[in-house]
Amino acid sequence: MSMWWCLQLRREPASVPLARRLLLDAMGSAGVDTEISYELSLALSEACANAVEHGRGERSDAYCVTAYLDGDQCRIEVADSGPGFRTGALPPNLHPTLPVDAESGRGLFLIESLADHVRVRNKPGHGGAVVTFDKTLKWQHRDGDGAGGGSAAQSGGSPLLAAG
């Protein structure tokens, strides 16, 4: 299966669970394994939260989320119009060494932990940061009869709804 969608969201906290819910619903409709869906939605939440917190730009107070599902691969991109990443601010493994009691700064580390590949860059020439991450998908095992309306596998599972 192949699908993609792109959202332009206002840079406000309420946009984060909206993006997460749309991703979970799309993954559930495509039949993606709920654990993989949850991991991708958590990584997306972190990337969106970073865009909301750091992505204020002179040209736009919005950010864009694009998700691509193609075969067994998913790529998600979150782009904002803020100042971007400071040159040299990120080591090759994306996350700085943080004190154990740090209350922020763990978003990129979490994204890197949940995804197979992460790329962080600045938009050339216009300002803004772009966080792209990829993950290999696994699929739900469905009953042979095709029944199962309303099952946790179809909805993404109740724990995912509560995590929003």
Side-chain angles (χ1 to χ4, degrees):
M1 166 178 268
S2 292
M3 75 166 109
W4 68 273
W5 49 263
C6 184
L7 300 170
Q8 185 171 357
L9 299 164
R10 293 179 62 90
R11 206 182 55 78
E12 57 190 38
S15 68
V16 176
L18 172 63
R20 182 177 179 151
R21 173 77 323 204
L22 289 170
L23 179 67
L24 284 169
D25 288 348
M27 296 282 183
S29 295
V32 175
D33 176 76
T34 55
E35 184 177 334
I36 297 294
S37 297
Y38 178 77
E39 290 173 354
L40 282 167
S41 72
L42 186 55
L44 175 63
S45 294
E46 291 297 328
C48 290
N50 284 346
V52 167
E53 184 175 347
H54 305 293
R56 173 171 230 103
E58 293 178 15
R59 294 177 292 110
S60 175
D61 200 25
Y63 66 101
C64 185
V65 176
T66 306
Y68 306 91
L69 278 74
D70 189 19
D72 67 346
Q73 294 294 311
C74 178
R75 172 169 284 174
I76 298 174
E77 182 175 281
V78 177
D80 64 47
S81 58
F85 294 100
R86 290 176 306 195
T87 303
L90 296 172
N93 61 352
L94 295 183
H95 53 87
T97 303
L98 295 171
V100 173
D101 59 349
E103 293 185 20
S104 64
R106 298 179 190 266
L108 289 176
F109 171 75
L110 188 56
I111 294 166
E112 183 181 48
S113 298
L114 294 166
D116 296 335
H117 179 262
V118 180
R119 181 175 177 213
V120 178
R121 61 186 169 87
N122 290 328
K123 289 181 190 174
H126 337 84
V130 181
V131 176
T132 305
F133 51 98
D134 302 319
K135 189 158 185 83
T136 301
L137 301 176
K138 294 179 188 171
W139 305 99
Q140 296 176 14
H141 297 288
R142 299 204 184 265
D143 294 338
D145 64 3
S151 72
Q154 281 185 322
S155 69
S158 59
L160 299 181
L161 294 174

